[in-house]
Amino acid sequence: MPSQLFVSIVEIGCFFALIALGYLIVLYGAGFFHFALGPYAMFSALGAAYWVTASEWPLWVAVVAGVAAAVALSVVTELLVVRPIEKRVRGEELPSLIAVVATLFAVSQLAGTVFGRKPFPGQPWMDFEDPIEWGEAVIGGQTVIIVGVTLAIFILLAAWLRWSRYGQWLRAVGENQEAARTLGFPVARIRLAAFAVGGLIAGIAGPLFSPKAGVNFESGLSYSLFGFIALVMGGTGSIWAPLAGGLILAALQIAASYLFGSPSLNYATLIAAALFFAFRPEGLFARRVRH
Amino acid sequence: MRQGGSAWVEPIVTLALAIAAMAAVHGSPYLEAVALLTCTYAFIALGMYLPFIMGGALSMAYNAYLGVGAYALALIAGRSDWDLAWSLPIGMLIAAATAVLLGFATRRLSGFYLAAVTLLFGIAFTTWLVDAESVTGGSGGLQGLRVPVFAGRPLSNSTLVMLTILAVWIVALALSRLRNSPFGVAVRARRRAAIAVESCGIPVSTLTLVSLGLGAAVSSVGGSLFAVANHAILPESFAVDLVFLCIFMPLLGGQDRPWGAVLGAILVVTFTFQLTFFKETGSLFFSLAVLLVLVIAPRGVLGYVLIGLQKLWKGTRGGETRHG
Amino acid sequence: MAEPSNMAEPSNMAEPSNMAEPSNMADVILECRGVNKAYGAVRAVNDVSLELRAGEVLGLVGPNGAGKTTLVDLIGGEQRPDSGAITALGRPLAGAPSRRARVNGLARTFQHPQVALDLTARENMLVGLAGPSLATLSGQLRELAAGIVGAGSRIERDAARGEVERVAAALGLKDIERECRELTLGELRLVEVGRALLTRPALMLLDEPFAGSDAHGVAGIRSAIAEILRNGCGVILVDHNVDIVASLAHRIALLNLGAKVFDGDPKACLASPEMQAVYFGEREAA
């Protein structure tokens, strides 16, 4: 396989890994699969691109605004949608699932209404005059940024989970909200932190990756879906598991496209997901202790 | 089952409404087209009613089930001499088998996994429609479908509309009866007390798969009717976005009865296509309306109408009424 | 079926009334041998062996975390043991809970009542009656068709005989057309017991049925147990309240930290040093 494809695998893998990481954080802190993370990433990316091209903001301002928007959307979702519904239907999972799916759709439509329905190219954060050459492959500036930022986020988050107060609480709460509450944990604040951090990661991931593939208001659905698959493949046992899952999914998709043509990307993802769900739903890095 | 005279109220009232609808759209090609689209959506919403609203299992591949029914009809119309009626059982069988296979892959997992794998399937299906040109006609779809023969004559649009509205009525009534039957009670118990249903000797995974299969089959009927109505089909009609609208329909219309799903379909079509103000922002409006319903008014339009009617009934009769 | 009498304090009952003593030659209907279940470093069930005979009530008591509910889950099929054998009437108890209900005649209630709150009490109990008919794919399809057509349902035929109403009355459960949202915790437990009874089980697992029940609820469950025993079945009764269990059971097994520390006569158990140690601590409280 041409070495340029390996570069693509790393780029796409990092993107999926970040979305999956967002899922993992919200899963740890609120016991919830945040299906709406994809649209938050899209909103941030589309917003940044729109503000740079149509409003002529400097790139950094636009990206920060996009990230802030993603965090705001995630927090609002928790406060106005997920929390009231979970409070009303203790234990039943379906209403929250429906609500987050509706949120996914609503945020996509909001982006379409505010930023328009045309696709936008992303805005590179940095470009090399002379791209790095690696064998036959060419590594541009944005690629280096993607890898660098991804690793930085993972490392920072691992440290946050290990050493900060909220981080440690997050790990402790996990899926057992009730037990945590009776033990005196400030569950509401932990949840809020989890949703905010999840939104933050998604908000950074969007504009980070959009220079590579462009973005439109409907992109959020596949971001959410592929991020979820990456999470399932990697497992929930380690903070680094999403990285493994993201790279594996990206490798699968690119290999399938290369070998069988681009439609097979979706077929391959479907088959791999179905197999993982059926035979290894806990992923590669499963949690060691029963939860 | 409800006793005596009150058991007839529902079929008679709804049939009267169906006939009124037929009369209202008769003679106007535009209204007939709107009615056919509404019925297509109603079939998907009704297809979702059993596994999703009653059973609590969210499958998101309904665009595929619709598409299976549509392409089954289009292929039989375009490539064979068979009676077009064959598309119904063939489409239903393929759709049901697909739903069962997908459900089987996730049978021990929570609802999020079923939603994800069925959503993936829906996306893969749309990809395949464009990709498999030799079978599906690719992005150009299938055109110029022959008109079915009904009672010796080519089926006119007016007759088709009447038959379709009648079909929606029959399916909704059947689901309403099923809802009150022991099978329906077991499916509804699955939604919030699956462990208990299992402990009574009822294998919940089988129950779920039967519901998913039947729901998919119902939706595929809608697809076949859609193809007949338009004499042509394009892959864009079966994009995954359709699934979101179809989830919203029973939620907005009301979950208490299958009629809520039909009401939801009417609401969606009315707002999206009739009121031009909403044309661009229609979908945003809907998703916000759905969120509002989910958080504040979970019983949907029909639910609150029913509550109002019951209060009225109680007021005039002065007797005890049980929440139906 | 005797009406439940308005019993005051359960501890007034020295002997379980209406319950015949099981003969020593009665069949062993359930046997656990060397059952183990661990979660990481925690041994929830530690090499437990016990047996239950037809017509017998076996009480399972012990403090929180003793492993009672885990053991019940292992018998019921909601969890799998790490090692050991569980057999019912000589046949291994295996597979999903629905299979155990169908093949081994198992029925159970749950520590937190598993009841669909949006359905009526009658509808929830109907699920129990429906169990045998919906146990197979062909049965489900048949009932599906019957439900749409409106005729031919075996479950409806049974229900028309008033089975559900009869069991509800026997348990002292009133007005079963109410939605379960409106029922008290005690009434929800009765719904669970009624649902389990309607599956016509050979073996009942009652998991903490008395928690949250008033005297009326207790009486209802007492009648349910009598009814089950009348059919030659066996009951495993799990509860915190040792006094009630002692008044109802023919034998008591005392669990502590996953292991069985006493197995025998209820009165002897109450007075035993093991009971003292487990509930009151030998030297200091844990």
Side-chain angles (χ1 to χ4, degrees), chain B residues 46-68:
Chain B
L46 287 171
M48 288 194 133
Y49 191 78
L50 177 65
F52 172 43
I53 302 293
M54 280 174 62
L58 179 56
S59 160
M60 294 187 72
Y62 278 85
N63 63 316
Y65 308 144
L66 193 78
V68 160

Short mmCIF file of all heavy atoms in Angstrom, two decimals, chain B residues 46-68:
data_model
loop_
_atom_site.label_atom_id
_atom_site.label_comp_id
_atom_site.label_asym_id
_atom_site.label_seq_id
_atom_site.Cartn_x
_atom_site.Cartn_y
_atom_site.Cartn_z
N LEU B 46 -45.48 3.72 11.36
CA LEU B 46 -46.17 2.54 11.89
C LEU B 46 -45.22 1.36 12.00
O LEU B 46 -45.32 0.55 12.92
CB LEU B 46 -47.37 2.19 11.00
CG LEU B 46 -48.56 3.14 11.11
CD1 LEU B 46 -49.59 2.83 10.02
CD2 LEU B 46 -49.21 3.02 12.49
N GLY B 47 -44.30 1.27 11.05
CA GLY B 47 -43.31 0.19 11.12
C GLY B 47 -42.45 0.33 12.36
O GLY B 47 -42.01 -0.66 12.94
N MET B 48 -42.22 1.56 12.78
CA MET B 48 -41.43 1.77 13.98
C MET B 48 -42.24 1.53 15.25
O MET B 48 -41.67 1.37 16.33
CB MET B 48 -40.95 3.22 14.03
CG MET B 48 -39.88 3.53 13.03
SD MET B 48 -39.14 5.09 13.45
CE MET B 48 -37.44 4.67 13.32
N TYR B 49 -43.55 1.55 15.13
CA TYR B 49 -44.37 1.58 16.34
C TYR B 49 -44.17 0.34 17.20
O TYR B 49 -44.00 0.44 18.41
CB TYR B 49 -45.85 1.76 15.98
CG TYR B 49 -46.68 2.07 17.19
CD1 TYR B 49 -46.70 3.34 17.74
CD2 TYR B 49 -47.41 1.07 17.82
CE1 TYR B 49 -47.43 3.62 18.88
CE2 TYR B 49 -48.15 1.35 18.96
CZ TYR B 49 -48.15 2.63 19.48
OH TYR B 49 -48.87 2.90 20.62
N LEU B 50 -44.18 -0.83 16.58
CA LEU B 50 -44.09 -2.05 17.38
C LEU B 50 -42.73 -2.21 18.05
O LEU B 50 -42.65 -2.33 19.28
CB LEU B 50 -44.42 -3.28 16.51
CG LEU B 50 -44.29 -4.63 17.20
CD1 LEU B 50 -45.31 -4.76 18.31
CD2 LEU B 50 -44.48 -5.77 16.20
N PRO B 51 -41.61 -2.22 17.30
CA PRO B 51 -40.34 -2.45 17.99
C PRO B 51 -39.86 -1.27 18.83
O PRO B 51 -39.29 -1.47 19.89
CB PRO B 51 -39.36 -2.72 16.84
CG PRO B 51 -39.96 -2.10 15.65
CD PRO B 51 -41.44 -2.10 15.84
N PHE B 52 -40.13 -0.05 18.34
CA PHE B 52 -39.55 1.12 18.97
C PHE B 52 -40.44 1.69 20.07
O PHE B 52 -40.06 1.78 21.23
CB PHE B 52 -39.25 2.16 17.88
CG PHE B 52 -38.82 3.51 18.37
CD1 PHE B 52 -37.90 3.63 19.39
CD2 PHE B 52 -39.31 4.66 17.78
CE1 PHE B 52 -37.48 4.87 19.84
CE2 PHE B 52 -38.89 5.91 18.21
CZ PHE B 52 -37.99 6.01 19.24
N ILE B 53 -41.65 2.08 19.71
CA ILE B 53 -42.51 2.74 20.69
C ILE B 53 -43.02 1.74 21.72
O ILE B 53 -43.01 2.01 22.92
CB ILE B 53 -43.70 3.43 20.00
CG1 ILE B 53 -43.20 4.43 18.98
CG2 ILE B 53 -44.61 4.09 21.02
CD1 ILE B 53 -42.49 5.61 19.58
N MET B 54 -43.44 0.56 21.26
CA MET B 54 -43.93 -0.42 22.21
C MET B 54 -42.79 -1.15 22.89
O MET B 54 -42.78 -1.30 24.11
CB MET B 54 -44.84 -1.44 21.50
CG MET B 54 -46.26 -0.92 21.28
SD MET B 54 -47.26 -2.05 20.29
CE MET B 54 -47.28 -3.50 21.31
N GLY B 55 -41.83 -1.63 22.08
CA GLY B 55 -40.81 -2.51 22.62
C GLY B 55 -39.56 -1.81 23.12
O GLY B 55 -38.75 -2.42 23.82
N GLY B 56 -39.37 -0.56 22.74
CA GLY B 56 -38.20 0.15 23.25
C GLY B 56 -36.91 -0.15 22.54
O GLY B 56 -35.84 0.17 23.05
N ALA B 57 -36.95 -0.74 21.35
CA ALA B 57 -35.71 -1.03 20.62
C ALA B 57 -35.62 -0.09 19.42
O ALA B 57 -36.45 -0.14 18.53
CB ALA B 57 -35.73 -2.48 20.13
N LEU B 58 -34.61 0.77 19.41
CA LEU B 58 -34.50 1.76 18.34
C LEU B 58 -33.60 1.25 17.22
O LEU B 58 -32.38 1.25 17.33
CB LEU B 58 -33.94 3.08 18.89
CG LEU B 58 -33.74 4.20 17.87
CD1 LEU B 58 -35.03 4.51 17.13
CD2 LEU B 58 -33.20 5.45 18.54
N SER B 59 -34.24 0.82 16.12
CA SER B 59 -33.49 0.48 14.93
C SER B 59 -33.54 1.68 14.00
O SER B 59 -34.58 2.30 13.84
CB SER B 59 -34.12 -0.72 14.24
OG SER B 59 -33.72 -0.78 12.88
N MET B 60 -32.40 2.04 13.42
CA MET B 60 -32.39 3.24 12.60
C MET B 60 -32.19 2.94 11.13
O MET B 60 -31.74 3.79 10.37
CB MET B 60 -31.31 4.21 13.11
CG MET B 60 -31.66 4.72 14.50
SD MET B 60 -30.57 6.00 15.10
CE MET B 60 -31.07 7.36 14.10
N ALA B 61 -32.50 1.75 10.69
CA ALA B 61 -32.27 1.39 9.29
C ALA B 61 -33.53 1.51 8.46
O ALA B 61 -33.64 0.88 7.41
CB ALA B 61 -31.72 -0.03 9.21
N TYR B 62 -34.49 2.32 8.91
CA TYR B 62 -35.79 2.34 8.23
C TYR B 62 -35.73 2.90 6.82
O TYR B 62 -36.61 2.59 6.01
CB TYR B 62 -36.83 3.08 9.09
CG TYR B 62 -37.38 2.16 10.14
CD1 TYR B 62 -36.72 1.99 11.35
CD2 TYR B 62 -38.51 1.39 9.88
CE1 TYR B 62 -37.19 1.09 12.27
CE2 TYR B 62 -38.99 0.51 10.81
CZ TYR B 62 -38.33 0.35 12.01
OH TYR B 62 -38.78 -0.53 12.93
N ASN B 63 -34.75 3.72 6.53
CA ASN B 63 -34.61 4.16 5.14
C ASN B 63 -34.33 2.96 4.25
O ASN B 63 -34.79 2.88 3.10
CB ASN B 63 -33.50 5.21 5.00
CG ASN B 63 -32.14 4.66 5.37
OD1 ASN B 63 -31.99 3.95 6.36
ND2 ASN B 63 -31.13 4.96 4.57
N ALA B 64 -33.59 2.00 4.79
CA ALA B 64 -33.27 0.79 4.03
C ALA B 64 -34.51 -0.07 3.83
O ALA B 64 -34.72 -0.62 2.75
CB ALA B 64 -32.18 -0.01 4.74
N TYR B 65 -35.33 -0.20 4.86
CA TYR B 65 -36.53 -1.03 4.71
C TYR B 65 -37.48 -0.41 3.70
O TYR B 65 -38.10 -1.09 2.89
CB TYR B 65 -37.23 -1.22 6.05
CG TYR B 65 -36.32 -1.72 7.15
CD1 TYR B 65 -36.47 -1.28 8.46
CD2 TYR B 65 -35.30 -2.62 6.88
CE1 TYR B 65 -35.62 -1.72 9.47
CE2 TYR B 65 -34.45 -3.06 7.88
CZ TYR B 65 -34.62 -2.60 9.17
OH TYR B 65 -33.78 -3.03 10.16
N LEU B 66 -37.59 0.92 3.76
CA LEU B 66 -38.41 1.62 2.77
C LEU B 66 -37.84 1.36 1.37
O LEU B 66 -38.57 1.06 0.43
CB LEU B 66 -38.41 3.12 3.06
CG LEU B 66 -39.44 3.93 2.32
CD1 LEU B 66 -40.80 3.75 2.96
CD2 LEU B 66 -39.08 5.40 2.29
N GLY B 67 -36.54 1.50 1.27
CA GLY B 67 -35.87 1.33 -0.02
C GLY B 67 -36.03 -0.08 -0.57
O GLY B 67 -36.22 -0.26 -1.77
N VAL B 68 -35.94 -1.06 0.31
CA VAL B 68 -36.10 -2.45 -0.14
C VAL B 68 -37.47 -2.63 -0.80
O VAL B 68 -37.59 -3.20 -1.88
CB VAL B 68 -35.94 -3.42 1.04
CG1 VAL B 68 -36.55 -4.77 0.73
CG2 VAL B 68 -34.47 -3.59 1.38
#
